[in-house]
Amino acid sequence: LERRRLDIDRWNLECEFNNIDHRTDLNGVDRLIVRRGQTFTISLYLRSGSYQPGVSSLDCVAETGPQPSEQYGTRASFGLSANIDTSCWSAAVTSPPGDMVALSICSAPDAPIGRYTLTLGRSGRIEFILLFNPWCAGDAVYMDNEQNLAEYVLSQDGIIFRGSYKHPIPTPWNFGQFEGGILDACLRILDMNPKCLRNPGKDYSGRRNPIYVSRVLSAMVNCNDDKGVLLGRWTGDYSGGVSPMVWKGSVEILRNWDAQACQPVCYGQCWVFAAVACSVSRALGIPCRVVTNYLSAHDTNNNLVIERYINENGEPIQSREMIWNYHCWVENWMTRPDLKSDFNGWQATDPTPQEKSEGVYCCGPVPVRAIKEGELTFKYDAPFVFAEVNADIISFMKKKDGSTSKVTSTTLVGQNISTKSVGSDAREDITHLYKYPEGSDEEREAFKKADHQNKLLHQEQNQGLHLTIKVTSDMRKGCDFDVFALVTNNTQSTKKCRLVFGSSAVSYNGFLKGNCGFKDLLNVELSPGRRVPLRLNYSKYGELLTEDNLIRLAALLLDYTTRESVLAVRNIVLENPEIRVRILGEPKENRKLAAEITLQNPLPEPLEACCFSIEGANLTGGCVITERLGSSVGPGEDAKVKVYFTPTHSGLRKLVVDFDSNKLGHVKGYRNVIIGK
């Protein structure tokens, strides 16, 4: 039989049907956005003739990137088959003979993601966007759990944990990966990466691999080596931009970067970098979550040990090796065909610029399992991430005469590693995925394998004096309260000691901002147990607090008889007042809705320049609603506003609220709203 080419007059991409089927409809249904390894169907209307099985033919060519080539996998040629083959590019007609042809097309499950042109015969030329497909078993990002997929790919809002490891504070975040313009900004991030600018053909080919794409995103979310999205700043001077605390979501950041010709958005810190990386990963179809590691070590010399120095008042001497109060990164879900199959699953990737990797500020992806097992030779950057959760800390006191002496300290790193639970706003503790329990045989083995000082073998002998810091539950911003140094003397004799007990406002990455209260007791007689209070007054700490609301408490005990010293350090986070959100009326899709938002002033002084800002995926139209109060709010009084918005999609949505004033900076709150059809 002679093959007859189909004579195509026009076509319908059936965007609404296809996008809903591929779970991309929240991006809109005005263009075709599909996932790889999954069939989509378009309607072809013929100019002449009709489709005849076995007789009609159609040459299809799918291309992506500026130099498409079959060798690089960026060009695929295929014709009509009797049936779709989901393992490669294929096409089949699924309608009966006639002048309208339903053409089903499937991309290869390992095709590069991005913008595609599909040529159909001589006259047809369609465009579509192809994304990773975690619903497809043949895709490297396949995830076999619908609840997890709903959380880690489709959910447009979430919770990022901040505060301190004894008091994790949930911060709401609007990831907004399906809001207008965000997918285009994410594809532009890939196109602006230096590897693409140097060799676009090779880079587009690399986009078939989520390992490669994750590493590119890790480098491009910060702007340290490239035209990346965010500039980091930790100094407290945010002139020329805004404080990282201002952001409530990724939408404004990504839109600003895209609109300002890829100039970096000012400013980010770790949770902002991580949140933006999460938005981009989810937008492209890679399952992703934001993770917080409390007491996170920053090891600069790769020896897996943090050498920490203090002065004779117990105050830290700043160095590049720090213990961050917390640090956030992301985990992306994928297989690791370059490693053993045990290392598939969550991969830690860190877009915050800390240390260079292969000459660029990026980190990961490294399997979380490799960190737990102490496999430090695995790609990428395993030693750095291992140190963040597992480094040993050695403390030294630098004396006025220049000499140093070792100090006993019980600080542990890598505590309460946290992420948002699937399907709820609760905290899920995932520390066990990164490390074996402290002191267990498996932990010892992992340390030996990591070829580094085993903290169990090198633990200081207990010399009889113990020092801990205890706090009370009333540590609210605006209040005066006590903290306590608790000294335990396990020896038989009464000891004479010096106790230095101080407090400083501190940023979350460890930089001190000023003394909030200090006590130096030169002759403390220690009977078996002694509790020493330190009063913290709002009149002193109020002006010094950073936006992190953190105070570092440090107690240093010097034993006059043995000349030994013991250090106890604890960060406390002061509670902000609660923001109350009341929804007025029944929440319905495309119907105007009101919310009443209230915050009570907890301070003993008035609040000036009060401002609420509100944002929510599919609630506020991708914009931030800003409401300023005309008058000041006195002590104990309520700041209150009413806002109106129109939800555009049904389902569970998070309304994220931020309050700012001259004395209360960036108090976050949220309310889950269920929108009906």
Side-chain angles (χ1 to χ4, degrees):
L1 277 173
E2 182 196 346
R3 310 285 282 177
R4 292 205 194 107
R5 289 196 176 98
L6 289 178
D7 183 16
I8 301 168
D9 178 34
R10 57 195 171 83
W11 52 84
N12 183 340
L13 298 184
E14 311 293 354
C15 295
E16 185 166 1
F17 171 81
N18 286 315
N19 289 11
I20 289 172
D21 194 44
H22 284 246
R23 301 171 180 85
T24 61
D25 51 301
L26 284 174
N27 287 300
V29 290
D30 54 336
R31 54 182 176 165
L32 185 58
I33 303 170
V34 294
R35 299 186 186 276
R36 60 188 196 171
Q38 183 179 337
T39 305
F40 61 96
T41 301
I42 61 176
S43 302
L44 305 178
Y45 298 91
L46 303 182
R47 186 179 290 110
S48 62
S50 64
Y51 166 70
Q52 300 293 325
V55 177
S56 303
S57 74
L58 183 65
D59 297 325
C60 305
V61 180
E63 297 178 311
T64 185
Q67 302 143 13
S69 95
E70 305 214 348
Q71 178 198 345
Y72 273 147
T74 48
R75 182 180 193 273
S77 308
F78 50 102
L80 291 180
S81 318
N83 296 297
I84 287 287
D85 179 352
T86 55
S87 69
C88 59
W89 285 92
S90 60
V93 172
T94 52
S95 57
D99 58 0
M100 195 287 285
V101 176
L103 180 68
S104 288
I105 300 159
C106 189
S107 59
D110 62 348
I113 61 152
R115 297 182 194 280
Y116 272 80
T117 301
L118 178 64
T119 310
L120 303 170
R122 291 172 175 171
S123 52
R125 184 183 169 86
I126 70 169
E127 293 185 347
F128 64 95
I129 293 173
L130 188 67
L131 303 178
F132 288 109
N133 191 354
W135 286 268
C136 168
D139 195 312
V141 299
Y142 175 61
M143 186 176 241
D144 182 19
N145 182 308
E146 279 298 330
Q147 283 87 8
N148 288 1
L149 287 160
E151 182 71 54
Y152 298 134
V153 184
L154 299 179
S155 181
Q156 292 197 83
D157 52 55
I159 296 287
I160 297 170
F161 289 92
R162 298 175 50 228
S164 69
Y165 92 99
K166 291 264 174 100
H167 190 64
I169 292 180
T171 303
W173 192 269
N174 177 28
F175 294 113
Q177 68 269 28
F178 300 120
E179 295 280 26
I182 297 304
L183 180 56
D184 297 285
C186 295
L187 294 172
R188 191 175 188 185
I189 288 171
L190 297 181
D191 287 345
M192 293 308 295
N193 98 77
K195 290 176 180 174
C196 183
L197 300 176
R198 277 197 303 272
N199 186 341
K202 192 175 174 190
D203 174 78
Y204 270 76
S205 174
R207 296 182 194 184
R208 66 176 69 191
N209 184 349
I211 304 170
Y212 177 81
V213 171
S214 294
R215 194 151 170 81
V216 164
L217 294 183
S218 166
M220 283 297 293
V221 168
N222 70 71
C223 67
N224 286 43
D225 313 279
D226 43 49
K227 286 189 172 292
V229 177
L230 275 159
L231 177 62
R233 180 161 288 183
W234 286 265
T235 58
D237 171 16
Y238 302 121
S239 50
V242 298
S243 156
M245 296 281 181
V246 167
W247 308 116
K248 292 165 293 306
S250 309
V251 176
E252 204 179 347
I253 294 169
L254 288 165
R255 282 183 180 163
N256 287 354
W257 176 81
D258 197 30
Q260 293 161 11
C262 310
Q263 290 301 302
V265 177
C266 303
Y267 294 99
Q269 287 176 8
C270 71
W271 72 93
V272 186
F273 287 112
V276 170
C278 184
S279 297
V280 178
S281 299
R282 288 182 185 181
L284 299 177
I286 302 173
C288 185
R289 63 188 186 183
V290 177
V291 166
T292 302
N293 176 41
Y294 288 97
L295 299 180
S296 190
H298 180 171
D299 178 25
T300 57
N301 60 4
N302 277 342
N303 68 346
L304 309 185
V305 176
I306 304 293
E307 290 95 3
R308 186 168 66 172
Y309 291 87
I310 58 168
N311 63 21
E312 288 177 282
N313 287 334
E315 297 160 341
I317 295 164
Q318 306 278 209
S319 74
R320 282 202 64 215
E321 295 215 320
M322 305 280 279
I323 308 293
W324 291 35
N325 185 52
Y326 62 81
H327 179 50
C328 300
W329 58 78
V330 292
E331 291 174 358
N332 286 351
W333 179 272
M334 67 193 73
T335 57
R336 289 301 295 261
D338 55 329
L339 306 172
K340 299 196 290 271
S341 63
D342 303 4
F343 298 96
N344 293 340
W346 290 117
Q347 314 288 318
T349 305
D350 190 349
T352 298
Q354 293 188 89
E355 297 296 321
K356 287 194 173 186
S357 169
E358 297 177 341
V360 175
Y361 278 103
C362 67
C363 176
V366 59
V368 171
R369 179 77 189 274
I371 302 308
K372 182 169 182 173
E373 301 298 341
E375 294 280 6
L376 301 198
T377 58
F378 286 1
K379 291 181 169 178
Y380 291 87
D381 310 307
F384 185 77
V385 181
F386 184 89
E388 287 183 304
V389 300
N390 265 322
D392 277 346
I393 301 174
I394 302 175
S395 298
F396 298 95
M397 189 198 300
K398 235 177 195 164
K399 298 180 182 156
K400 290 193 180 73
D401 62 8
S403 66
T404 59
S405 63
K406 208 166 170 185
V407 179
T408 304
S409 171
T410 53
T411 308
L412 298 170
V413 304
Q415 299 296 298
N416 272 1
I417 304 174
S418 302
T419 191
K420 177 189 175 296
S421 293
V422 172
S424 92
D425 291 343
R427 186 180 75 87
E428 182 185 347
D429 195 303
I430 55 168
T431 312
H432 64 282
L433 298 181
Y434 279 86
K435 52 206 283 191
Y436 287 103
E438 298 279 350
S440 66
D441 291 348
E442 294 90 346
E443 186 210 24
R444 189 176 312 185
E445 284 308 309
F447 264 82
K448 282 180 183 166
K449 196 186 289 180
D451 186 31
H452 120 72
Q453 293 170 319
N454 181 337
K455 63 169 74 164
L456 299 165
L457 298 177
H458 289 261
Q459 250 174 10
E460 295 295 321
Q461 297 304 305
N462 172 13
Q463 353 78 323
L465 287 181
H466 270 262
L467 183 61
T468 52
I469 294 171
K470 297 289 181 199
V471 298
T472 54
S473 58
D474 59 348
M475 298 183 297
R476 289 188 302 280
K477 199 169 179 178
C479 292
D480 301 343
F481 57 91
D482 286 318
V483 292
F484 302 91
L486 193 63
V487 187
T488 315
N489 176 8
N490 292 332
T491 65
Q492 301 306 307
S493 52
T494 301
K495 292 263 189 187
K496 270 210 165 171
C497 299
R498 177 185 177 196
L499 176 67
V500 181
F501 193 7
S503 59
S504 306
V506 64
S507 64
Y508 84 97
N509 62 331
F511 282 88
L512 299 187
K513 303 292 179 182
N515 165 31
C516 299
F518 184 76
K519 185 176 268 188
D520 189 354
L521 305 175
L522 291 171
N523 284 300
V524 181
E525 288 215 350
L526 293 186
S527 47
R530 178 81 192 268
R531 195 175 159 99
V532 179
L534 177 67
R535 188 78 173 158
L536 295 184
N537 295 309
Y538 174 72
S539 58
K540 183 148 193 192
Y541 73 71
E543 292 297 322
L544 297 169
L545 275 186
T546 71
E547 294 168 314
D548 301 302
N549 276 4
L550 283 169
I551 294 177
R552 175 187 183 272
L553 307 173
L556 181 65
L557 192 66
L558 302 147
D559 184 339
Y560 287 133
T561 28
T562 63
R563 312 299 301 160
E564 283 166 338
S565 41
V566 186
L567 174 71
V569 178
R570 178 166 178 179
N571 286 343
I572 57 171
V573 58
L574 301 191
E575 288 266 24
N576 270 325
E578 180 195 3
I579 293 178
R580 298 190 301 281
V581 181
R582 198 159 69 95
I583 301 295
L584 310 175
E586 191 188 350
K588 288 272 194 190
E589 202 176 290
N590 298 316
R591 188 193 289 172
K592 200 172 187 182
L593 191 61
E596 185 184 78
I597 301 170
T598 314
L599 172 139
Q600 187 179 48
N601 177 10
L603 305 182
E605 55 191 323
L607 298 178
E608 312 282 350
C610 300
C611 175
F612 286 96
S613 46
I614 300 100
E615 158 176 16
N618 307 127
L619 291 178
T620 58
C623 304
V624 178
I625 300 171
T626 303
E627 293 284 348
R628 299 185 186 280
L629 269 67
S631 57
S632 66
V633 178
E637 290 179 1
D638 283 346
K640 187 182 285 190
V641 295
K642 193 185 274 189
V643 293
Y644 296 90
F645 53 95
T646 306
T648 53
H649 286 81
S650 60
L652 181 66
R653 300 278 173 246
K654 196 173 257 96
L655 196 64
V656 178
V657 184
D658 180 35
F659 174 84
D660 194 27
S661 72
N662 62 329
K663 295 288 182 184
L664 273 180
H666 302 295
V667 181
K668 306 284 184 189
Y670 70 96
R671 167 73 187 262
N672 286 330
V673 192
I674 296 173
I675 310 295
K677 287 273 187 203

